[in-house]
Structure formats: C-alpha cells, structure tokens
C-alpha cells in the first residue's frame, strides 16, 4: 500500500463504511465548499462558496465526492481500466445525440425517411448529429466488447463480483439490441430489409417462433406497427433498462472496488500469508473487498482515483469522443433510398457487429438454422452470463485457468473469423 | 518480349496430362511440406524465445535453438524444390498457364519474390548468428517476429494466386482484373487462415514426431530397467564420466523430449480443432462461389478422398486424446485419465459413424446414371447415414466439442497437479508419432482435393489442363441445375 504522500502509515485502520476521510487535502474546508472553490474564478468565489454551502448543507455532497474521488484503485494497469468509464461516456454521447435526433424524427413509415432527409438537408448540424450517433454506436460496441474481454481475462468476474459481471453481460446484450433496433428506424432500404430479416429470425424458434415474429411485426409483414414497436423499444424500453442496469453496475463497482488483474495481487515475501494479512490491515476504502479471498481482497499497491485514474479515464474518453465527432463529420451516417418492399435487386447487408451472426446463418443448412442460431448462440450467451458460476476456480492468472481460456479463445477466434468472412463476403456480393 | 515468351511456351511439352499432373502434384506437395513447416516453426520459435526470455525456461530456449538449427537445411531444400518447381516443372509442362497467369498477377508474384528475399536475409542471419546474438535477445526476438511477418505475407501472396485459380474474381476473364479484387476474392481469406493455422499445426507435428523418436531413443528397452532403477550403468559408458552421470544425462534428455513432444502435440492437436471449423467455412465459400468445384469435392470422384480427410480429422483427435489418457495415467492421475478414456471411446464411436460413405461407388452421378440412387436396403447404393447433412456435420461438431473438452481437461490437470517430465510411456510416444504423421497426410490430402476440384481447369473457368487455352464458354459439363444432388 502506498499512501499519497509516499510515507508509511502503519497505524492506518480502515474507517467504517461511509465515513469521510479526514486526512485529505481540503477536508477542513469541507463545510464551506472545500478545495473546489479554488477552481472558481476570483469574483465568483463568494457566490459559489455560499451556493456550495447551501448544497452541502442539504446533500452532504462534499463528503460523497471526496469518498468517490479519493477512493483507492489498483496502481498497475490503469490504462486497461479506462474502458468502463469510456463506455459510460460514449453511452452519454448516444443519449444526447439521440435526444437531438428525436427532435426531428417521425416514427411513421410515410414520414420517417423524409424527416431524416429534412434533418440532413435543412437542419444545421443535423447530419453531423446522425453521424455522431452512428459512430458512437460503433465505438460503443467495440468498447463494451473490449471491456468485457478485459474483465474476462483478468478474472474480475469471480467472487464476490459475480452479480456485476451478469449485469455487465446484460448491458452488452442491451447495447446489441439498441444497435439493431436503431438500425431499423430510418426506414430507408437498408433499415427496411434489416427489419425484415431481423424480425424474421425469431420464427426459427420452435413452438413460439411464429408468435414472437407476429408480435414484433404486428402482423405477418413488416409495416407501421413494426416501426412503432421498434421505436418504442429503442427510445423507451431499452434505454430505461440500460440506465437502471448502469446504475446497478456502478453501485456494485463502488461496493467491491476495482479488481484490476492478477498482477495487482502478487506476493513477493517469503511469507505470503503474513504479507496478505498486512495488506488487509492497511487497506484503504473500498478495500478489503468483502467476500473475496484474502489474497484477492486488497491490491498490493493502490493510488487514489483522483487524479491518477481519473486522468487516464479522461484522456481515453476524450480521445474517443473526438474520434466519434470527427468520424461523424467526415463519414456521417448513410441514408439509402426510401424503403421499397417491391424491390427485387436490393441486397441487405448487416452492420459489422452482426456479421458473425449473419455468417452463421449462411453456414448452416436450412434444416439446421434453428440449431445454429438459437442453440449455439443461446448456449454461448447463457454460458457468458453464468460464467462466474461455471468457473469457480479461485485462480486469477490466465495461465492457471486453461479450463475457461481454451474454450474462450476458440469462441472469440470463431467470432472474429466469422466477422472477417462476413466482410469478405460483402465485397463479393 | 512477352510475345516471345508466349511463343516459347505455347507448345505443350510432350507427355500425357496425367504424367504432367502427377509431376506437378508431387513436386508442389513436396515443396508445400517444407515451406509450411518453415512458416509454422518460425511462429513456434518466436513463442518459445519469448517465453524463455520471460520465464528463463531452458527447455524453451533449447527448442527455439533446435528449430533455428533446422531452418538452414529445411529452407535450402525447400527453396531448391521451389525453384525447380517454378523454373522447370511449371514453366516446362504448363507453360501457357504460368505465363498467362503471370500477366494478370504480375505484382503479386513480384511481392512474393520480394518476401522471399526478405526471408533469405532474415532466416540465414538468424541461422548463422543465433548463438552470437544471445546477448541481444530482444533484437533476436524482433528479427524472428519480422521473419514471421515476412513469411506470412509470402504465404498470403501465394494464396492470392491459389485462391484466384479456384474462385477467380471475374469468371471468364483472366486479364485486367483489379488487384484489390484478386486479394478479396471469395476464398482467399479462408485459405489464408486455413494455411496459417495448418502451418502451425504442421510445425507442431514435426516437433512432436521428432521429440517422440528422441524420447524412444533415450528410453530404449534394453536400458530402461537401468534408467528406472539407477542400479547399474547402462550398456555404454563415456570415458571418465562420473558414475551415474550417464543415467542422469539420459533422464534429463528423456524429460526434455517428453516435454517437447507434448508441447508440439498441443499445437498439432489444438490447431486442428480450429481447422475443422475454418475448413468447413472454406468449403462453404467454394460452394457459394465455385459450385462446380464444390460439386467435384462433395459428389464427384474426389468425394472419396474427401472422406479420407474426414477420417484424418477423427484419427488426429483419437490419437491426441489417447495420448492425454496415457500421459495422465503415467503421471498417476488415474481419475483424470479415466475421463479422457470416456472421451476417447466417444471419439472412436463418432469416427466409425462418420466414416460411412454416403454411396458405394466412385461418385454420386455414377449411381444416378445406374438408377441406384436409393438406400442400400432398397437395393440401391446409397447410405443415408453417411450423408454430409446432417450426419457428418453433427459428427464434426461433436468431435470439436469433445476435443476442446479433452484439451481443457488435460491442461487443467497439468496446471493443478505438477507433472514430472520423463515418465511418459513409450506407447504414448508412438501415439504422438502417429498423430504427427496424420497431420502431415492431411496437408497432402487437402492439397490434392483443392487442386483436383478445379478439374478440368487449371484456372477455374479460364484455362483447361489438357489444351492450355483460355476458354470463353462454361465447362463442358451438364448445367448445374441438371446435375444430380443428393438429399
């Protein structure tokens, strides 16, 4: 454990949960706004100080901020832990750009396309906003996938963080659902045929398949009801679930603290048990993690979240946001011709993150499509969700976890390969 | 100049199509075995060198050194065969093909040659200076990685050519095809991935075969009792060597070769698991983009060779899991060994089930022509349980899952309970040799299937084998929609 000032504090004892730390800079000023006042320009200081004191009096915000900002995080590997916060930032970008798009968009089969045409041609920055929304979705998919991969590789999902992993996996599925429902809204050729293909997939389910398809489509064919229901899913149902689960994800993270990875828990002394006991004795909140094995309850070295980790989080998020904005401006979001159910020549192509699934559909013969799509993908999704309960080996080092890493590499390799094949196939259509 | 070359190479070299094909096939396959080993082994060297730098494991350092030591011989032989293949065999017997193909894939060949030069520079530098560069291990590793990249691109460029021969981007046009489209032709990606994985599996197979032989040598039966008990010196002694040193030396050697055989086997076995899926996707792309060739593979005379490929996959898994079983048993992990035994029985049953031919004839059209396209119990020559869909697909999926389980169980056992090296049974080493040989055979069979599936074309729909002329009309076969297709 390395205290912020670099000196040893052997007598440090973990304060009770929720107690604000008293050895932090600015704690003496907490009642009148604390050290945040120093960030405010001179003439406004008095006003801000009074305002902050009013807010502090009613909410206790200073202590809460201090608790979060100065909580300990593992020292090693900080850049890898930025993926979660970057994901959150991009989700926020998606919410804001989505709200702007809602100002123009009309969820009607006769007006959806023209409303986007209007947005593209008449609305200042409208097209850019659409571009940001699309590229934000792309980056979000990539980020959430990498975040999940990082969590998997570092075995952060193990006891007592099982529930947080499950919430995270559900968030991943929700983002996928957001992406596919969003792709169906513009009601151009691409989205119409995407809607046709996607809403048809449930019918491969035995017994309930046709019912689910009819429910989603609002009939036998894709039409106005399909659009209305998909719109409702995209802007109400899924975001509400997303926000709730993000809240749960963060709460659980605050409770258990950042795990980091196995490198943060290596012991170096001849008496590992004594070393671990000493770590636990000197742990700073939120460590030691309740319910974890002693070895994995406190990282070997920690730093404060602010400014160390927050700086890294900000850099990564900032770079990604800039990238999304630039790509939104340069590349924008495509808009095909208006939806035409009578066309015979249009070849629908999925978004890149659905290419593996699409390629799976290509590979399976008709009689095995249901098996391929629902059994294989279903088993994969269930295993992913229940991973912490399947992999109960306490080891965290990847080399010592071949029982999950070998199948996982096979699975990840397959997904990447299918995506590559899908891209290649698109060039050969 | 191009006209002159064309004029020189227009006339076919005397000889039959069969003779020429066999000659090309033999030399090409021989070349493939050398070249693929080099590419795969450089990956293994990079891996072992990297691991030994991090963990200071002397076994990895020794393995990397041994492989680099082989490179000199393997590369010079493989390169000589390649040069002989291109200059004499290919230009000699299929001159028109080579010159025509050169015209529209000139830059691909050019960059292929450049990577060849890069390979010569890097490989010989490493071969000649491996020990001297020990003080600069990072540089040495960097050079090995560079060599890997260079060789991968070399393979990629030749795959552009090979895949273009099977699924040309533009049917009926061998000239003026964009290079980008050549690179993106439908089967280039699966072929490249298939070969990348296959190369590593093959290099692993060579390592495992060699190590198994060396292990058998180090634990020869007449010396085994002495080695095991350490009671007396073995038959031979070395000068003034201290008493018992020869036994200890032999034990050290046995431990190393036991480890190396297992290390190579994990690549040969593990990468073959991936090959099943990649191979399936490759066949699917052929079906989608070159139905003629796919038809030859699945229904034509090659279908029986294809069945051999299917059997090969099953044998690799059987030998591999049998090795896991024997090795765990030798290590005293009886319960885990029994689990492997159960998986082995399942694999054997699947192998026998999957080995059934779908029809008892040379090709499917044959039995259709004879009106015998009905199940054998109705007097026909069909065996419905041998059809690819769904039976062989199910067998493949089950094979892959079992192989993944077996590998996972074995690695888990290795991780959780330390295994003493040098205790492997001699029978387990014979299994490794058999596994390695089947991996090599699979590479040859795969080559034969792919190259024969285009028949009668050298470049699909463009140049035929027997007349060496560019055709502008489709194959002189029945239209696809009139051909018999099995259920």
């Amino acid at each position: 454990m390395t205290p912020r000032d670099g000196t040893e504090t052997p007598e440090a004892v973990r304060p009770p949960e929720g107690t604000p730390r008293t050895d932090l800079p600015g704690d003496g000023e907490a009642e009148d706004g604390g050290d945040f006042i120093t960030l405010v320009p001179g003439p406004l200081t008095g006003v801000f100080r009074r305002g902050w004191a009013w807010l502090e009096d009613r909410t206790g915000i200073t202590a809460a901020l201090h608790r979060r900002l100065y909580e300990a995080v593992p020292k090693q590997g900080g850049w890898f832990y930025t993926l979660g916060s970057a994901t959150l930032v991009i989700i926020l970008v998606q919410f804001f750009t989505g709200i702007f798009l809602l100002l123009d968009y009309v969820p009607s089969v006769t007006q959806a396309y023209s409303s986007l045409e209007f947005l593209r041609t008449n609305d200042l920055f409208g097209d850019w906003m659409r571009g940001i929304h699309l590229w934000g979705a792309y980056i979000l998919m990539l980020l959430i996938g990498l975040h999940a991969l990082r969590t998997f590789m570092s075995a952060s999902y193990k006891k007592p963080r099982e529930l947080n992993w499950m919430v995270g996996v559900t968030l991943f599925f929700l983002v996928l659902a957001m992406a596919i429902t969003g792709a169906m809204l513009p009601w151009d050729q691409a989205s119409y045929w995407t809607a046709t293909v996607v809403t048809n997939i449930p019918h491969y389910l035995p017994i309930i398949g046709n019912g689910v398809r009819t429910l989603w489509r609002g009939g036998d064919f894709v039409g106005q009801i399909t659009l209305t229901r998909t719109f409702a899913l995209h802007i109400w149902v899924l975001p509400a679930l997303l926000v709730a689960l993000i809240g749960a994800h963060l709460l659980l993270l605050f409770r258990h603290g950042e795990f980091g990875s196995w490198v943060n828990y290596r012991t170096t002394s001849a008496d590992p048990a004594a070393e671990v006991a000493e770590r636990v004795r000197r742990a700073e909140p939120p460590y030691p993690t309740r319910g974890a094995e002693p070895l994995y309850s406190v990282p070997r070295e920690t730093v404060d979240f602010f400014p160390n980790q927050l700086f890294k989080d900000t850099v990564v998020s900032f770079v990604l946001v800039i990238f999304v904005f630039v790509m939104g401006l340069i590349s924008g979001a495509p808009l095909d011709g208006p939806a035409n159910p009578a066309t015979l020549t249009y070849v629908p192509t999925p978004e890149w993150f659905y290419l593996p699934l699409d390629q799976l559909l290509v590979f399976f013969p008709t009689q095995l499509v249901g098996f391929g799509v629902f059994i294989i993908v279903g088993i994969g999704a269930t295993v992913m969700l229940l991973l912490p309960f399947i992999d109960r080996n306490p080891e965290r080092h990847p080399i010592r976890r071949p029982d999950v890493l070998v199948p996982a590499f096979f699975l990840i390799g397959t997904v990447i390969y299918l995506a590559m094949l899908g891209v290649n196939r698109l060039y050969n259509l | 100049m191009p006209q002159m070359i064309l004029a020189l190479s227009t006339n076919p070299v005397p000889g039959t199509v069969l003779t020429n094909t066999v000659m090309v096939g033999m030399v090409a396959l021989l070349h493939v075995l050398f070249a693929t080993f080099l590419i795969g082994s450089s990956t293994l060297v990079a891996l072992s060198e990297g691991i030994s730098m991090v963990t200071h494991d002397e076994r990895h350092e020794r393995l990397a050194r041994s492989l680099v030591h082989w490179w000199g011989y393997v590369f010079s032989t493989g390169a000589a065969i390649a040069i002989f293949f291109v200059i004499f065999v290919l230009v000699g017997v299929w001159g028109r093909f080579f010159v025509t193909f050169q015209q529209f894939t000139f830059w691909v060949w050019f960059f292929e040659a450049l990577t060849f030069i890069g390979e010569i520079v890097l490989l010989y530098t490493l071969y000649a200076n491996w020990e001297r560069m020990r003080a600069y291990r990072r540089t040495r590793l960097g050079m090995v990685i560079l060599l890997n990249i260079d060789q991968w691109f070399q393979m990629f460029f030749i795959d552009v050519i090979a895949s273009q021969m099977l699924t040309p981007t533009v049917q009926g046009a061998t000239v003026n095809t964009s290079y980008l489209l050549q690179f993106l032709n439908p089967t280039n990606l699966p072929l490249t991935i298939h070969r990348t994985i296959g190369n590593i599996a093959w290099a692993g197979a060579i390592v495992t075969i060699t190590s198994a032989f060396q292990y058998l040598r180090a634990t020869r039966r007449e010396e085994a009792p002495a080695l095991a008990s350490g009671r007396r010196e073995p038959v031979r002694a070395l000068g003034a060597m201290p008493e018992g040193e020869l036994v200890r030396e032999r034990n050290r050697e046995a431990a190393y070769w036991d480890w190396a055989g297992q290390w190579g086997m994990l690549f040969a076995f593990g990468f073959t698991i991936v090959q099943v899926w990649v191979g399936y996707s490759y066949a699917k792309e052929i079906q989608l983009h070159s139905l003629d060739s796919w038809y030859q593979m699945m229904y034509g005379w090659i279908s029986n060779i294809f069945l051999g490929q299917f059997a090969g996959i099953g044998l690799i898994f059987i030998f591999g899991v049998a090795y896991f079983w024997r090795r765990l048993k030798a290590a005293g992990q009886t319960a885990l060994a029994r689990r492997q035994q159960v998986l082995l029985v399942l694999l054997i049953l699947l192998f026998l089930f999957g080995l059934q031919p779908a029809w008892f004839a040379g090709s499917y059209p044959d039995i259709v022509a004879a009106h015998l396209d009905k199940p054998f119990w109705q007097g026909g020559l069909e065996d419905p349980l041998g059809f690819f869909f769904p039976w062989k697909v199910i067998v493949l999926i089950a094979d892959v899952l079992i192989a993944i389980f077996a590998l996972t169980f074995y690695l888990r056992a290795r991780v959780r309970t330390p295994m003493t090296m040098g205790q492997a049974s001699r029978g387990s080493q014979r299994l490794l040799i058999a596994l390695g040989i089947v991996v090599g055979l699979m590479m040859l069979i795969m080559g034969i299937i792919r190259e024969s599936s285009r028949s009668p074309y050298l470049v699909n729909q463009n140049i035929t084998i027997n007349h060496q002329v560019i055709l502008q009309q489709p194959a002189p076969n029945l239209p696809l929609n009139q051909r018999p297709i099995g259920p």
Side-chain angles (χ1 to χ4, degrees):
Chain A
M1 188 72 59
T2 307
R4 277 185 322 285
D5 59 4
T7 59
E8 293 292 313
T9 53
E11 300 308 314
V13 177
R14 186 186 162 188
E17 184 72 17
T19 308
R21 302 214 4 222
T22 54
D23 59 338
L24 301 171
D27 276 348
E29 306 157 288
E31 284 182 8
D32 58 3
D35 48 350
F36 300 101
I37 300 303
T38 57
L39 301 172
V40 181
L44 294 174
T45 309
V47 177
F48 189 82
R49 200 179 287 274
R50 281 194 298 280
W52 188 266
W54 183 88
L55 194 65
E56 166 62 19
D57 185 44
R58 281 149 187 83
T59 60
I61 190 169
T62 308
L65 273 175
H66 269 173
R67 195 163 65 238
R68 292 293 159 237
L69 285 176
Y70 294 107
E71 79 174 12
V73 290
K75 186 179 179 184
Q76 276 182 287
W79 289 104
F80 287 104
Y81 316 143
T82 58
L83 294 167
S85 57
T87 306
L88 183 60
V89 168
I90 298 293
I91 286 176
L92 290 176
V93 169
Q94 291 302 90
F95 272 114
F96 283 115
T97 50
I99 289 167
F100 280 111
L101 293 177
L102 267 179
L103 298 178
D104 274 359
Y105 179 76
V106 182
S108 146
V109 290
T110 54
Q111 294 178 65
Y113 182 82
S114 52
S115 67
L116 291 181
E117 266 294 309
F118 173 82
L119 180 118
R120 195 168 68 84
T121 51
N122 295 38
D123 218 347
L124 192 61
F125 303 128
D127 202 32
W128 189 17
M129 205 54 71
R130 243 190 105 224
I132 294 171
H133 200 64
L134 178 76
W135 279 91
Y138 288 170
I139 295 298
L140 182 58
M141 297 305 308
L142 200 64
L143 271 176
I144 203 164
L146 288 174
H147 182 49
L149 187 65
R150 204 278 301 167
T151 311
F152 171 75
M153 289 302 294
S154 61
S156 308
Y157 55 84
K158 296 196 175 189
K159 186 185 167 189
R161 297 177 176 84
E162 301 98 328
L163 202 56
N164 214 11
W165 166 265
M166 293 173 76
V167 172
V169 171
T170 313
L171 280 169
F172 177 65
F173 295 148
L174 280 178
V175 168
L176 276 174
M178 287 288 283
I180 200 67
T181 49
M184 287 152 69
L185 297 183
W187 218 248
D188 59 350
Q189 283 282 59
S191 67
Y192 175 80
W193 289 105
T194 300
T196 307
V197 173
V198 171
T199 56
N200 191 48
I201 290 176
H203 102 277
Y204 291 111
L205 272 171
I207 304 168
I208 58 166
N210 286 334
V212 175
R213 179 173 64 178
T214 309
L215 182 70
W216 192 351
R217 286 184 172 179
D220 289 339
F221 302 101
V222 168
Q224 177 59 56
I225 303 175
T226 319
L227 182 62
T228 307
R229 287 178 182 176
T230 307
F231 178 71
L233 283 172
H234 187 72
I235 68 149
W236 291 117
V237 181
L238 296 175
L241 289 171
L242 205 67
V243 169
L245 288 175
I246 287 171
H249 201 57
L250 290 175
L251 276 177
L252 288 167
L253 176 69
F254 292 150
R255 178 180 169 80
H256 301 303
E258 172 73 51
F259 173 74
S261 70
W262 74 94
V263 293
N264 299 112
Y265 299 88
R266 283 189 292 218
T267 51
T268 49
S269 69
D271 186 359
E275 189 183 337
V276 169
E278 179 64 10
R279 275 187 211 166
V280 172
R281 198 174 67 78
R282 296 170 54 198
E284 287 187 54
Y287 306 108
T289 305
R290 274 175 285 186
E293 302 93 334
L295 175 62
Y296 297 114
S297 64
V298 187
R300 187 172 51 172
E301 287 181 296
T302 57
V303 289
D304 286 333
F305 177 73
F306 174 80
N308 303 283
Q309 188 61 39
L310 188 60
F311 169 73
K312 290 170 184 162
D313 286 350
T314 309
V315 169
V316 172
S317 300
F318 183 74
V319 168
L320 288 171
V321 169
I322 293 292
F323 178 77
V324 166
F325 273 58
V326 169
M327 288 311 292
L329 184 65
I330 297 172
S331 179
L335 193 62
D336 282 351
N340 177 13
T343 184
L344 295 173
T345 53
Y346 188 82
V347 181
T349 53
E351 290 286 3
W352 61 268
F353 42 82
Y354 275 105
L355 281 174
L357 194 60
D358 184 62
Q359 197 63 24
L360 212 56
L361 283 174
V362 172
F363 281 161
F364 277 97
T366 317
Q367 61 266 46
L368 291 177
V369 164
F371 170 79
V373 173
F374 290 106
I375 306 294
I376 289 188
V377 176
I379 289 175
T382 310
V383 167
M384 196 174 167
L385 194 68
L386 300 178
L387 180 67
F389 304 104
I390 296 167
D391 174 24
R392 303 180 74 83
N393 169 15
E395 285 289 348
R396 305 296 213 274
H397 196 295
I399 295 291
R400 303 192 69 79
R401 295 161 49 216
D403 31 358
V404 286
L405 282 184
V406 170
F409 278 139
F410 185 77
L411 192 70
I412 294 167
T414 301
V415 170
I416 294 172
Y417 177 60
L418 285 173
M420 286 163 66
L421 277 179
V423 172
N424 202 47
R425 192 167 58 85
L426 295 186
Y427 278 102
N428 286 288
L429 283 174
Chain B
M1 186 66 177
Q3 281 79 6
M4 195 174 80
I5 295 171
L6 272 175
L8 282 173
S9 60
T10 302
N11 296 325
V13 169
T16 64
V17 170
L18 181 64
T19 314
N20 291 353
T21 308
V22 169
M23 191 196 290
V24 168
M26 283 173 62
V27 180
L29 289 176
L30 200 58
H31 165 63
V32 162
L33 288 181
F34 281 87
T36 50
F37 168 72
L38 276 173
I39 301 174
S41 67
S42 68
T43 307
L44 294 190
V45 168
L47 204 59
S48 278
E49 180 67 358
I51 292 172
S52 76
M53 281 170 67
V54 175
T55 63
H56 307 291
D57 188 336
E58 286 178 7
R59 296 174 304 185
H60 277 290
E61 195 178 347
R62 179 175 169 183
L63 179 65
R65 188 174 58 238
S66 309
L67 285 169
V68 172
H69 186 66
W70 284 359
W71 281 355
Y73 309 109
V74 177
F75 180 73
S76 49
T77 314
I81 294 170
I83 291 164
F84 172 75
F85 175 54
V86 171
I87 294 181
F88 294 100
V89 182
L90 212 52
V91 174
V93 298
W94 305 125
R96 172 67 72 86
F97 151 75
F98 191 68
V99 174
T100 310
F101 217 63
Q102 274 280 6
Q103 287 178 331
F104 73 101
T105 55
F106 175 79
W107 290 108
V108 181
W109 286 106
F110 180 78
F111 285 111
E112 168 79 14
L114 275 188
T115 56
F116 186 64
I117 293 169
E119 187 181 21
I120 292 170
V121 171
L122 286 164
L123 190 140
Y124 276 120
T125 307
L126 285 165
Y127 169 70
N129 300 291
W130 187 257
E131 285 303 320
R132 271 174 242 161
M133 290 179 76
R134 199 178 184 286
Y136 310 96
R137 292 192 79 178
R138 286 188 181 184
T139 311
R140 194 165 77 173
L141 178 63
M143 286 177 70
V144 177
I145 292 171
L146 265 182
L147 179 66
N148 262 276
I149 296 168
D150 180 273
Q151 288 175 325
W152 189 87
F153 273 103
Q154 192 177 38
M155 180 196 67
F156 173 76
F157 286 126
I158 207 69
D159 284 351
V160 171
I161 310 254
S163 56
Q164 183 73 9
M165 286 167 73
L166 184 57
T167 50
T169 316
V170 181
Q171 298 275 317
T174 45
V175 289
N176 299 326
T177 307
S178 102
Y179 280 101
L180 182 65
L181 287 177
Q182 285 181 26
F183 287 170
L184 292 171
N185 87 74
T187 53
N188 187 26
L189 179 70
L191 178 61
T192 299
I193 302 287
H194 200 53
R195 277 192 168 157
T196 305
I197 294 166
N199 294 344
I200 298 171
W202 173 228
I206 292 285
V207 169
T208 208
I209 292 173
T210 314
S211 305
F213 270 119
Q214 292 287 3
Y215 183 85
L216 291 175
R217 208 172 144 217
T219 57
R220 269 194 289 239
R221 284 197 188 285
E222 65 268 26
E223 292 169 10
L227 291 168
S229 65
R231 275 183 285 103
R232 61 179 176 83
E233 282 289 302
V235 180
R236 287 169 293 165
L238 293 176
M241 187 180 277
E243 193 179 351
E245 178 59 22
L246 193 56
V247 175
R248 283 193 289 276
E249 173 63 20
R250 283 298 179 90
N251 285 342
R252 275 198 294 272
E253 282 298 290
Y256 171 73
W257 293 118
D258 184 11
W259 168 84
Q262 179 191 242
W263 179 254
M265 180 272 178
L266 291 178
F267 288 93
F269 181 86
F271 279 68
T272 301
I273 300 176
V274 186
Q275 281 297 63
V276 175
W277 175 230
V278 176
Y280 178 86
S281 72
Y282 184 30
K284 188 73 191 179
E285 293 297 327
I286 296 172
Q287 182 191 12
L288 291 173
H289 296 98
S290 182
L291 195 54
D292 262 313
S293 303
W294 180 83
Y295 188 88
Q296 292 262 37
M297 281 164 50
M298 304 304 287
Y299 293 98
W301 67 273
I302 323 174
S303 61
N304 292 316
I305 302 178
F306 197 81
L307 198 62
Q309 189 79 345
F310 200 85
I313 292 169
L315 284 176
I316 289 174
F317 290 156
I318 287 172
F319 291 143
V321 175
Y323 169 78
F324 291 151
W325 163 47
R326 297 289 300 266
R327 191 64 193 81
L328 286 171
K329 197 175 159 196
Q333 300 187 28
T334 322
L336 294 169
R338 198 162 296 133
R339 196 181 285 182
Q340 297 284 353
Q341 216 173 349
V342 173
L343 295 177
L344 180 63
V345 171
L346 285 175
L347 277 175
I348 291 170
L349 292 175
L350 284 167
F351 172 74
L352 294 174
F353 181 73
L355 210 57
Q356 297 176 80
W359 46 82
F360 305 105
S363 72
Y364 189 72
D366 288 348
I367 65 167
V368 174
H371 302 292
L372 292 170
D373 51 334
K374 49 193 171 190
F376 62 85
W377 58 83
Q378 292 174 11
L381 288 177
E382 270 183 8
D383 176 10
L385 288 176
F387 288 146
F388 199 79
F389 292 116
W391 301 114
K392 284 194 169 42
V393 173
I394 290 171
V395 168
L396 282 177
I397 291 171
D399 269 353
V400 165
L401 289 177
I402 291 173
I404 290 175
F405 278 130
L407 182 63
T408 304
F409 290 153
Y410 182 71
L411 289 175
R412 189 168 66 176
R414 286 283 334 261
V415 164
R416 295 193 181 169
T417 318
M419 193 182 275
T420 309
M421 286 294 141
Q423 292 179 337
S425 64
R426 291 171 63 85
S428 69
Q429 303 302 302
R430 294 194 182 98
L431 286 166
L432 288 185
I433 294 169
L435 183 146
I437 290 170
V438 179
V439 171
L441 282 175
M442 293 274 287
M443 294 191 63
L444 297 180
I445 294 173
M446 188 65 222
I448 291 168
I449 291 172
R450 195 187 60 243
E451 298 306 314
S452 308
S453 66
R454 296 190 306 269
S455 180
Y457 294 101
L458 268 179
V459 179
N460 222 350
Q461 307 291 330
N462 285 274
I463 305 172
T464 63
I465 290 172
N466 49 358
H467 296 303
Q468 300 192 349
V469 291
I470 301 169
L471 297 177
Q472 295 298 335
Q473 70 271 14
N477 289 328
L478 276 174
L480 285 171
N481 58 3
Q482 292 176 24
R483 286 192 214 171
I485 304 262

